[in-house]
Amino acid sequence: MNIGEIISNKRKELGFTQQVLAEKLNISFQSVSKWENNSSYPDILLLPRLAAVLEISIDSLLGYPPRSLTDYDKRYNTENYYWGLIPNTLCYEIMRLKPPAKPFKVLDIGCGEGKDAVFLARNGYNVAAFDVSDKGLEKAKELAAKCNVNVDFFKADLRDYKLDTDYDIIFSSGVFHYLPRRLREGVIDNLKAHTNPNGINIINVFVKKPFIQLPPDLEVSELNADDWKSGEIFTYYHDWLFQKCEETIFKCNSGGTPHKHCMDIIIAEKN
Ligand SMILES: C[S@@+](CC[C@H](N)C(=O)[O-])C[C@H]1O[C@@H](n2cnc3c(N)ncnc32)[C@H](O)[C@@H]1O
């Protein structure tokens, strides 16, 4: 496929008219029309934004096969653990709400280098965890082996992975901003359907605030994510019992430059 066909197909798949796409890019619809007819090409400086709006990589936009290396593969390709080894505080919330009196089944979505999955496994949970990053999974498996615990690590993509077993606890930290808006309801419904009675879903998601700047280590691919609105994640769980719903702003130093994030956190129980 040539670039014009790719733009036209993706635009239609997303339900955008040429006018809508043009408005999102701040250009005229005639420009979009010319690209799609292959009578001109998008300006090279527009490619990151165009790829982000069309929810594809620049490689795919230009008709190249997807690279196997994700941005996270690059970040994780170091001796050190990019996110450190200290478990997320939400792991302690899991232990408070569902103490491991029996081996509760946990799914960690977007487990990265596995620090939380391994921590939970060390504390007696029966943990499965997935991510799209091969390098993250490789390091996660090494960590589990070092800590002498079993975790079922596997590669899957949150955007199209359909759960085939039920869990007591479904946990995800720092991942749901990769979930395009049009997929959210279907993905979350699938998680809810595969949560055991009295089980919990515990999810945090970055939300965009006009007074907080984008993080400096944000990769181009991360622009693909649709922004989550304040409180949006809570609405998907309106029919469950809220154990926690909170919005918080915190400082972060990932990538070496201090910055801030705003995050919504939900702990909802299937009641
Ligand atoms: C900010 S990191 C968080 C990692 C881990 N949850 C933690 O807190 O240490 C985001 C993770 O989401 C993963 N990820 C991104 N898109 C994904 C997708 N569509 N499906 C599964 N994992 C994804 C990345 O590879 C990365 O490891």
Side-chain angles (χ1 to χ4, degrees), residues 81 83-88 111-120 140 143:
Y81 278 70
W83 305 111
L85 290 173
I86 298 171
N88 190 302
C111 60
E113 300 156 299
K115 63 175 167 44
D116 298 326
V118 168
F119 173 80
L120 292 169
L143 186 62

Side-chain angles (χ1 to χ4, degrees), residues 162-195:
K162 297 272 178 283
L163 274 58
D164 54 8
T165 179
D166 295 346
Y167 294 91
D168 301 297
I169 298 150
I170 296 182
F171 164 63
S172 186
S173 175
V175 182
F176 269 55
H177 58 292
Y178 294 106
L179 196 54
R181 182 161 294 117
R182 68 199 157 86
L183 300 180
R184 286 176 195 164
E185 192 173 357
V187 167
I188 294 174
D189 277 351
N190 184 247
L191 303 184
K192 289 169 74 177
H194 284 87
T195 305

Side-chain angles (χ1 to χ4, degrees), residues 140-173:
K141 286 176 191 166
E142 279 168 20
L143 186 62
K146 257 187 230 157
C147 299
N148 211 11
V149 288
N150 284 322
V151 175
D152 175 17
F153 285 112
F154 59 99
K155 183 172 180 174
D157 187 327
L158 166 66
R159 292 169 298 183
D160 56 19
Y161 180 64
K162 297 272 178 283
L163 274 58
D164 54 8
T165 179
D166 295 346
Y167 294 91
D168 301 297
I169 298 150
I170 296 182
F171 164 63
S172 186
S173 175

Side-chain angles (χ1 to χ4, degrees), residues 69-82:
L69 212 63
T70 68
D71 294 323
Y72 277 104
D73 282 319
K74 284 184 252 161
R75 291 186 199 189
Y76 295 157
N77 196 16
T78 55
E79 281 289 309
N80 295 337
Y81 278 70
Y82 188 84

Side-chain angles (χ1 to χ4, degrees), residues 56-59 66-78 82-83 112-113 131-136 139 155 159 177-178 217-225:
I56 53 176
S57 66
I58 297 177
D59 285 0
R67 285 174 295 173
S68 61
L69 212 63
T70 68
D71 294 323
Y72 277 104
D73 282 319
K74 284 184 252 161
R75 291 186 199 189
Y76 295 157
N77 196 16
T78 55
Y82 188 84
W83 305 111
E113 300 156 299
D131 201 284
V132 279
S133 164
D134 288 316
K135 190 66 199 172
K139 286 174 87 178
K155 183 172 180 174
R159 292 169 298 183
H177 58 292
Y178 294 106
D217 59 341
L218 189 83
E219 298 278 350
V220 166
S221 65
E222 290 179 282
L223 291 167
N224 284 344

Side-chain angles (χ1 to χ4, degrees), residues 4 10 17 34 41 52 99 115 126 169 173 191 207 210 250 267:
K10 281 303 296 182
T17 60
K34 282 184 191 163
Y41 292 117
K115 63 175 167 44
N126 177 355
I169 298 150
S173 175
L191 303 184
V207 295
F250 62 94
I267 305 179

